[in-house]
Amino acid sequence: MSDTTAHSAAAPELTPEQRDEKAFGFWIYLMTDAIIFALLFATYVVLSVGTAGGPTGKDLFSLPHTFGETMLLLISSTTFGMASLAARAGKRQGVVLWLLVTAVLGVGFVAMELQEFAGMIAQGAGPDRSGFLSGFFTLVGTHGAHVSVGTLCILVMVGQLLTKGLTAPVLSRLMRLALFWHFLDIVWIGIFSIVYLPGVL
Amino acid sequence: MQDAASHQGPDLRAYLTGFVLAVILTAIPFGLVYFKALPIGPTVAVIVVAAVIQVLVHLRFFLHIGLKTTPGENLLVLLFAVLLLVIMVGGSVWIMFDLHYRMML
């Protein structure tokens, strides 16, 4: 608790109204982002039949690999939840530790995805091969870019926690970053249910 | 801080419940596809149902959306996004596959 009081003079407190307004604005952003993803899903589904004689999902996708990615994201969502709980309890060190665990899992997810992309491109199944692969790389790549930015934001958050402490503005940002991170996990449910599982069937 | 501490929020149990439910709802469709336990039709049905339930589980236990606890305007924006999503995705898929079908004739 000494962290929070030491810095409260420098950082103005947020009123509950201001906090709700910021959360609402961020929520609108998330919903528009959901619509972007929905349209990329629609594009993928329309293009997925156009393999142009090239490799199909059955040839390219590895279920254990996708399951590993799914678990990494799901566990990272839970560890971010632990960070949120530590923040509410006013334990700065706990927040930093859980955020670092979350960032490591996020990096692991992006690394697995890049490995998959590199393997596909190496066997001539890059985004230029067919409509199916263009749709695949656009959709899954956009999600991967979101996770990468989210991981970067988590590291920035750790920096803010270490320099500013658990001030009201930092807590408010942490809450919005949590929304973003959990949202990415929801998009991933769509990706494995629409792209990977039907692709392997 | 007192305000935040007394505020009735999610607890450890919410996150763990969400995690366990999500693992189960992920394992079922992956298992079915991996072991080819069912014909394609029912498998797709299970994938869709498990995905919809898992999205609701995430919204409830990770994003803490509640019909009573979440501010009305947030729910309204969420419902509006779902409406747009159904119209745009459903409409695109319907039109494009109908077109595909007609071009094949």
Side-chain angles (χ1 to χ4, degrees), chain A residues 143-181:
Chain A
H143 178 265
H146 275 74
V147 176
S148 308
V149 172
T151 309
L152 190 67
C153 289
I154 290 177
L155 294 176
V156 171
M157 200 76 234
V158 169
Q160 291 199 1
L161 281 161
L162 292 178
T163 54
K164 297 173 198 258
L166 280 171
T167 59
V170 170
L171 277 174
S172 149
R173 282 169 213 143
L174 181 70
M175 191 268 287
R176 291 195 292 281
L177 185 57
L179 284 180
F180 183 69
W181 195 256

Side-chain angles (χ1 to χ4, degrees), chain A residues 6 18 34 42-43 52 59 65 69 87 91-93 104 109 118 122 124 128 135 145 147 167 183 185 191 196 198 200:
Chain A
Q18 283 175 316
T43 310
D59 308 320
H65 190 93
E69 288 176 291
K91 292 177 184 148
R92 180 167 74 161
Q93 281 204 319
V104 168
F109 172 85
D128 54 342
V147 176
T167 59
F183 165 78
D185 203 5
I191 291 184
Y196 288 100
V200 176

